[in-house]
Amino acid sequence: EAQVTQNPRYLITVTGKKLTVTCSQNMNHEYMSWYRQDPGLGLRQIYYSMNVEVTDKGDVPEGYKVSRKEKRNFPLILESPSPNQTSLYFCASSSRGRGDEQYFGPGTRLTVT
Amino acid sequence: LAKTTQPISMDSYEGQEVNITCSHNNIATNDYITWYQQFPSQGPRFIIQGYKTKVTNEVASLFIPADRKSSTLSLPRVSLSDTAVYYCLVGAPPMDSNYQLIWGAGTKLIIKP
């Protein structure tokens, strides 16, 4: 089954404790990205990657890091989480780019206290 | 950047046709129009994409007038399971990821029995 998986689905952590949210897709897609979704603000892109070893900032990259060492994986790293990063996070992939049909993961609900 | 304006919410009844209109007055020549559906606590799901005139697939139709300043998503014979938030996006030709893509607040559609 074609899908995007994220782990963990739920995470509660404390300020400053480094964490990683994993994302994996099995569709051999070139393009992957991370979004955060906050009430009333819609989805905002954090980082995206056009291909292996190619990443670029989205609209709200501050406080986040990503890496793309393999085509199928695109982890999101929060080196020092803060309460304003409490949000619902989605990973997405598409075959050609963000304008193409994007496949979204199930989401990771992160709470930083 | 081409922003979009959609109604915040809409109600309808099972079996009815639902039309959701999106306004995008400053759409650029190369911009495409894309609609996504999102259920609570799930990632968005691609519904349909078009550039001009009319596009139809197995779940919806997209009507785009000649001036392309608005578009209408049409859902035929809705059911309770169509209750969701619907997002209209403008931008990013499918093969080009250098264009910005803005997600608005979407339209919350509630289908009643």
Side-chain angles (χ1 to χ4, degrees), chain A residues 12-83:
Chain A
I12 300 174
T13 190
V14 296
T15 299
K17 185 177 182 181
K18 180 179 179 179
L19 66 92
T20 299
V21 184
T22 64
C23 173
S24 183
Q25 51 94 4
N26 63 0
M27 294 167 279
N28 200 38
H29 283 166
E30 303 282 332
Y31 183 90
M32 297 186 74
S33 65
W34 277 100
Y35 294 88
R36 62 179 288 174
Q37 185 173 33
D38 303 289
L41 295 177
L43 272 79
R44 294 178 293 169
Q45 192 174 51
I46 302 170
Y47 268 94
Y48 64 93
S49 170
M50 295 290 291
N51 211 327
V52 175
E53 302 294 359
V54 179
T55 62
D56 211 342
K57 296 177 180 179
D59 301 315
V60 288
E62 293 76 24
Y64 304 95
K65 287 175 59 177
V66 293
S67 68
R68 187 92 181 273
K69 293 183 169 55
E70 304 167 283
K71 195 171 187 178
R72 62 182 293 132
N73 296 324
F74 191 46
L76 179 70
I77 303 158
L78 284 72
E79 295 270 4
S80 183
S82 62

Side-chain angles (χ1 to χ4, degrees), chain B residues 26-66:
Chain B
N26 59 341
I27 188 169
T29 303
N30 292 338
D31 285 343
Y32 279 67
I33 299 156
T34 310
W35 287 81
Y36 282 82
Q37 174 192 56
Q38 186 178 25
F39 299 112
S41 299
Q42 293 186 25
R45 186 180 71 162
F46 175 92
I47 302 175
I48 198 165
Q49 184 178 71
Y51 182 78
K52 62 180 179 180
T53 63
K54 176 183 175 182
V55 180
T56 298
N57 61 23
E58 62 275 11
V59 298
S61 295
L62 178 59
F63 298 92
I64 306 168

Side-chain angles (χ1 to χ4, degrees), chain B residues 1-17:
Chain B
L1 300 174
K3 290 190 176 181
T4 61
T5 302
Q6 305 173 234
I8 294 173
S9 64
M10 292 179 65
D11 292 352
S12 188
Y13 293 91
E14 281 191 294
Q16 299 294 307
E17 177 184 77

Side-chain angles (χ1 to χ4, degrees), chain B residues 50-92:
Chain B
Y51 182 78
K52 62 180 179 180
T53 63
K54 176 183 175 182
V55 180
T56 298
N57 61 23
E58 62 275 11
V59 298
S61 295
L62 178 59
F63 298 92
I64 306 168
D67 66 6
R68 304 200 327 122
K69 293 184 184 297
S70 66
S71 59
T72 299
L73 174 72
S74 181
L75 304 172
R77 296 183 299 281
V78 293
S79 64
L80 296 177
S81 63
D82 291 313
T83 293
V85 177
Y86 292 82
Y87 294 95
C88 167
L89 289 83
V90 169

